Amino acid sequence: MKVLYQRKQGRFVTFKPFFMALVCGYCGLANAALLKIEATGPLLVGKSVDLRLHVNRPFDQLTANETLLSFGFKLEFDRHMLRFQQFLPAASWDDDSAWLGDGHIGASRFPGWVNDGAPNLYLATLRFDVLQAGQTSLNLLGEANDLNDGLNYLYAGRHNMSTQYRLQLTTIPEPDSVLVLGVGLWGLAMVCRRPR
């Protein structure tokens, strides 16, 4: 191990362990499971929208016999822009939200989801009512001191999961007045041309 002496601080500094820790930290971040949220339709005021929650690479760098038992997160959003309507876990997952406390959402599956090598795993759908137009964000947070949050594996334990999803909420587009006038004039012309 290479050791250098820093004169100004008067202490020895080891670079190799620091470098290895930095590399391992980068590898852990690069290979961590990533959450992905996608809207199933337009985000229109006065309408409901489903946001589907997926996790990419759920078993990345885990053993072949690993099993995902549960997932959970704290849901934060602007209540003036959105109204939370329903949490719909994927088929064969049980909704545990009633046991997790205010603002927390989660589901479990027993005996669990076995590592099948799939690059993407659908977890749940979050249904919202859109209340106002504008930009907002949806935050899914994993709290470090809450054992129900994150992705919980049988052997690998708890893996943190957090994401922020930006939403552009729009009003229902009104028909163009020129188009309406044109259709009205066309209808009037058709009535006038009708033989008597």
Side-chain angles (χ1 to χ4, degrees), residues 102-173:
D102 188 35
H104 286 260
I105 289 175
S108 60
R109 173 181 164 151
F110 292 99
W113 190 277
V114 179
N115 184 359
D116 58 359
N120 184 294
L121 178 61
Y122 165 64
L123 295 178
T125 294
L126 304 171
R127 182 167 292 159
F128 289 90
D129 292 330
V130 181
L131 303 178
Q132 289 185 22
Q135 279 193 345
T136 188
S137 62
L138 182 70
N139 300 315
L140 278 60
L141 306 172
E143 296 185 349
N145 59 351
D146 194 330
L147 297 177
N148 295 309
D149 284 355
L151 299 169
N152 296 292
Y153 294 93
L154 180 61
Y155 302 111
R158 179 179 172 272
H159 288 199
N160 189 29
M161 73 172 188
S162 297
T163 191
Q164 183 181 66
Y165 184 59
R166 297 200 177 276
L167 302 168
Q168 180 63 50
L169 311 176
T170 58
T171 56
I172 298 173

Side-chain angles (χ1 to χ4, degrees), residues 28-106:
L29 287 174
N31 295 306
L34 300 173
L35 288 178
K36 179 183 174 187
I37 299 175
E38 60 182 6
T40 59
L43 305 173
L44 300 175
V45 174
K47 302 288 184 182
S48 294
V49 63
D50 287 346
L51 303 176
R52 292 174 58 89
L53 175 63
H54 299 265
V55 59
N56 292 331
R57 304 182 311 207
F59 296 99
D60 199 26
Q61 292 195 346
L62 299 178
T63 59
N65 63 341
E66 188 58 87
T67 303
L68 178 62
L69 299 175
S70 67
F71 66 91
F73 50 87
K74 184 175 183 181
L75 182 63
E76 292 183 349
F77 58 94
D78 186 345
R79 298 180 188 276
H80 295 100
M81 309 282 283
L82 297 167
R83 181 190 305 122
F84 180 63
Q85 195 180 84
Q86 198 172 12
F87 169 66
L88 303 164
S92 75
W93 289 84
D94 296 320
D95 186 355
D96 298 333
S97 303
W99 309 100
L100 300 181
D102 188 35
H104 286 260
I105 289 175

